[in-house]
Amino acid sequence: MSTAVATTEIKDVLKELGIEEVNSGASTGNHWFATRGEKIDSYSPVDGSHIASVNSATETEYEACIIKAQEAFKQWRLVPAPKRGEIVRQFGQKLREYKEPLGKLVTYEMGKSYQEGLGEVQEMIDICDFAVGLSRQLDGSTLHSERPSHRMYDQYHPLGIVGVISAFNFPVAVWAWNSALAWICGDVCIWKPSEKVPLCAIACQKIAAEVFAENNVPEGVSSVIIGDYKIGEMMTNDRRVPLVSATGSTRMGIAVGEAVAKRLGKSLLELGGNNAIIITPSANLEMVIPGVVFGAVGTAGQRCTSTRRLIIHDSIYDKVKDILANAYKQIRIGNPLDQNYHMGPLIDKAAVKMYEDAVAKVKAAGGKMVVEGGALTGEGYESGCYVSPSIAEADNKWEIVQHETFAPLLYIMKYSGEVSNAIAIQNGVQQGLSSSIFTDSVRESELFLSCAGSDCGIANVNIGTSGAEIGGAFGGEKDTGGGRESGSDAWKVYMRRQTNTINYSSELPLAQGIKFDF
């Protein structure tokens, strides 16, 4: 598929999604404000084309969205949770109808492959399905009181406004992870998307607004505010936003966490990863190679769960290195809307420069390039955002290896002896998001999953680091921020917990046997 064809096709996609003409960067539903902030231009990394321009929101629109969200919350929290779930079910159904055009927009505006674009929309659908079932299971606990004729229990109530700050690499799914759960919990959401992918956010808001209007849901249950970091700062410093869920770099997360903590708010942080795969002597290499390659080059290495480090037992190191280098020769790079290609572009030219600088730092540190990638030029690469991936032999202690490079740069290194030595290398970074081991040894896999094993929030056996399912809680430890989104009991972060004690006797006994007679 040529880039010219892609540009023509995307016009039809924008029309189908109802965003042929956009200018406003703030909405509380079907109402779009006449924003007059700085213009944000959306350029496709696929072909460099200008897609559209959006006027960013200002403090005036931010304040209006907050007020409308507060008003909506007072009504939305009173809607029974299963009824809220029914509306989320309809939203999921609407996403099924828009899956193809929304997936194409994700691909064209962000640059990931079309299959990954469709997969991201499928994640949105899956979290809606999960949330619908959960809307009938927002349970608490019945507790036993030490006092006679007393009953105690825990219950959960909605928090209020949930602020969602999302990154460019998953321009629609991360918002849905948060919003679907927050909505069924009775919260309202204000979304500050990455200014690099504004059209994806506008499309999602329009789809949600369509469903909400059909169900007479009040304006303000779903709001979007597009702008730069200043919008994020307003949100993180705003006491009217009890929870801020932020996805992005560790640097950004530290700033958000500090600001929210100063006002004693709650933050859910999903930050950087430095994910490793351990390959043991018993590993099935036919499974290892595709897992590693997808983990390292999928989304052009721009996933927080992308595979950054490969820790290989010295007895099979050379064999794995050679097979991997040969596999990289088969990676096809080009227009991500064309499904013949494995890998599309990086998000922008600044990302290309960051990647090239990282490769230079690896070489300066003494790293040997097994596969040396870099910027691609020529026909099909006119946007200046395409690169070929790299593999480098490196030391885990090097500064460049200790930091996350958001690009297709894979470090390989050896371990010898027991698998505990590999686990120590894997854990020897500040990030703790995703991890994986390939082994046919039950002893090794169980050690990896034990408290003496991986220190990451995600630990996989015989699958890669990338590609989490909705049913499990997603998140990591250490510099990854400690947040949990999506499945399991992640819903609890969107609610406030309350303990209730009911005295159905005619006396007033005190706890701990305290006497207070007068």
Side-chain angles (χ1 to χ4, degrees), residues 149-163:
S149 300
H150 282 59
R151 181 165 67 90
M152 289 199 305
Y153 64 91
D154 286 340
Q155 65 174 335
Y156 290 85
H157 294 302
L159 279 172
I161 300 174
V162 174

Side-chain angles (χ1 to χ4, degrees), residues 338-366:
D338 186 336
Q339 297 186 61
N340 290 312
Y341 293 111
H342 298 110
M343 183 177 132
L346 291 173
I347 185 64
D348 53 28
K349 292 179 182 179
V352 174
K353 177 66 165 56
M354 175 271 298
Y355 172 50
E356 292 177 323
D357 289 347
V359 171
K361 289 179 181 178
V362 173
K363 294 166 71 174

Side-chain angles (χ1 to χ4, degrees), residues 358-405:
V359 171
K361 289 179 181 178
V362 173
K363 294 166 71 174
K368 179 182 177 182
M369 302 304 298
V370 178
V371 175
E372 185 169 353
L376 297 174
T377 58
E379 185 178 356
Y381 304 132
E382 290 86 355
S383 70
C385 299
Y386 289 86
V387 300
S388 57
S390 296
I391 303 174
E393 292 183 294
D395 189 313
N396 198 60
K397 296 179 181 178
W398 291 349
E399 182 179 0
I400 184 63
V401 179
Q402 286 286 310
H403 292 86
E404 179 184 45
T405 297

